Amino acid sequence: MIALALLVPALGSTAAQGATNTANTARKSCKKHGSTTVCTVVKTGKTGNTGKTGKTGAAGQTGAPGATGPAGPQGPAGETGATGATGAMGAAGPAGPAGGGAATGYDHVDAAETTSSTTFTRLTTTGPTVTVTVPASGTVRIAASAQVNGDGDGSVALFDNTVRVDTPGSDLCTGGLGTLFDAPGFDASSFAGLASVWQFGTPGGFGLFGCTTVGAPGPVTIQTSAGTHTFELRYEFATCGCGGTQATFSNRRLWVTPLP
């Protein structure tokens, strides 16, 4: 009974204290000791007000920069962009100068061939003949030579596409005015010790017995139209009253050079 009496007040006191502790934010802890339960109440004090935040302290010194990291791998190439529109065509440039004609043309006939024609004609072997392309300048340089016998006058003329050409210096020679070059105006066989075959060529020039003899022929310049031209040498017998009836020509040479 004594234990029971002691227990009751304790229980009542615990209930009242528990309410107070709850109101006062109390915490109760109970443990059993045999048939008796003993409870202990722990009161928690009220939390005080939070103090004011202190001032921010000064910033510390900046630390040294860290080491640079390794370069990252190269990224993949981007897609090719679309092709742009074609630009407008520029204006045409000025026309260049006219080019020169073809390289020098050359032809020759070695055989000795005779004519009694008193007008310019072709011999048994035509020519020599040279075909060239004349540029826009229309300028052509001609050189020619031939051997002529001394039994009479022989004359040689230049033809351009079947038209006879009057060349510089040709009118100085006797026997066939306006020709490329002429044989001498006398019968060489009537002069003792003189050769019976004479070498003549461009340019025509006047000498003691008609046209002068030449070694290597020199060039003469003529004007014609642009385009394709065939130049040819033709021949005639031009009597000088020396007893001859024909002229014999050999070693005929012709050079034609178009000029820009």
Side-chain angles (χ1 to χ4, degrees), residues 111-168:
E113 298 177 359
T114 301
T115 183
S116 298
S117 174
T118 55
T119 59
F120 287 106
T121 186
R122 290 170 174 164
L123 301 180
T124 303
T125 303
T126 301
T129 63
V130 174
T131 300
V132 295
T133 300
V134 179
S137 67
T139 305
V140 181
R141 182 173 292 161
I142 305 290
S145 66
Q147 290 179 340
V148 188
N149 73 343
D151 294 334
D153 278 341
S155 296
V156 182
L158 175 69
F159 279 71
D160 174 8
N161 288 348
T162 73
V163 177
R164 195 176 79 181
V165 178
D166 186 11
T167 60

Side-chain angles (χ1 to χ4, degrees), residues 11-114:
L11 290 174
S13 175
T14 299
Q17 187 65 38
T20 301
N21 288 343
T22 301
N24 294 305
T25 319
R27 181 172 62 85
K28 181 174 70 174
S29 175
C30 298
K31 291 184 179 181
K32 283 184 99 176
H33 296 278
S35 60
T36 304
T37 300
V38 178
C39 295
T40 303
V41 177
V42 179
K43 291 184 179 180
T44 302
K46 294 182 180 179
T47 304
N49 294 331
T50 303
K52 293 182 179 180
T53 303
K55 294 181 179 180
T56 303
Q61 294 181 348
T62 302
T68 302
Q74 181 173 337
E79 295 181 0
T80 303
T83 302
T86 302
M89 181 179 292
T104 299
Y106 169 73
D107 190 23
H108 65 95
V109 178
D110 294 330
E113 298 177 359
T114 301

Side-chain angles (χ1 to χ4, degrees), residues 152-202:
D153 278 341
S155 296
V156 182
L158 175 69
F159 279 71
D160 174 8
N161 288 348
T162 73
V163 177
R164 195 176 79 181
V165 178
D166 186 11
T167 60
S170 61
D171 56 351
L172 297 178
C173 298
T174 59
L177 298 180
T179 60
L180 188 66
F181 54 89
D182 294 326
F186 65 95
D187 183 355
S189 62
S190 62
F191 292 85
L194 294 182
S196 60
V197 177
W198 301 78
Q199 176 78 26
F200 294 90
T202 54

Side-chain angles (χ1 to χ4, degrees), residues 227-241:
T228 301
H229 289 256
T230 297
F231 294 92
E232 175 187 347
L233 297 184
R234 298 187 186 182
Y235 313 86
E236 72 170 5
F237 167 70
T239 182
C240 63

